Amino acid sequence: KENSIWGCFQACKTNLECRSLNYNLQTSICEINNRTKSEKPHKFVALEGSAYVDNPFRGKRKNGDISVYDIFKANLKNTPQN
C-alpha cells in the first residue's frame, strides 16, 4: 500500500521487474506488474477509480544492476541461430 500514485510510481521505478503499475485511487493499493497492457491486451481490465501507468524506465540499468532484460539479451546473443 502506497500513500500516493507518486509513491507507487517510485516503487515501480526502482523495481527491475516492474513493467507497469496499477494504482487504486480510492484504496491506495499499488500493484506492480511484470508486463504492460500493450504486451497482453487481452489480460488488461480497466477498473473505475484506478490508474494504469507504463514504467518508462523498464529494462534500463541503474547503479550497475543487471536487469532481466540484460540477461535475456545476453542469452539471446549466445543462442545458436538455425
Side-chain angles (χ1 to χ4, degrees):
K1 194 167 184 175
E2 290 289 338
N3 292 333
S4 68
I5 194 168
W6 178 250
C8 187
F9 177 74
Q10 292 301 315
C12 177
K13 186 173 117 175
T14 59
N15 181 329
L16 293 176
E17 302 299 319
C18 181
R19 300 185 60 75
S20 66
L21 66 91
N22 297 318
Y23 185 76
N24 187 300
L25 301 165
Q26 297 164 341
T27 63
S28 299
I29 292 177
C30 175
E31 296 176 332
I32 303 292
N33 305 313
N34 63 1
R35 62 181 167 249
T36 65
K37 71 178 181 180
S38 62
E39 293 167 348
K40 303 270 185 176
H42 62 283
K43 297 260 185 179
F44 181 75
V45 177
L47 298 174
E48 189 172 332
S50 289
Y52 170 88
V53 180
D54 281 337
N55 179 3
F57 299 97
R58 67 182 179 266
K60 297 182 182 174
R61 280 194 262 173
K62 181 181 176 188
N63 299 330
D65 292 338
I66 297 175
S67 71
V68 171
Y69 177 73
D70 293 325
I71 294 167
F72 175 76
K73 279 193 339 186
N75 287 336
L76 188 62
K77 187 176 182 179
N78 294 325
T79 302
Q81 301 295 314
N82 292 332

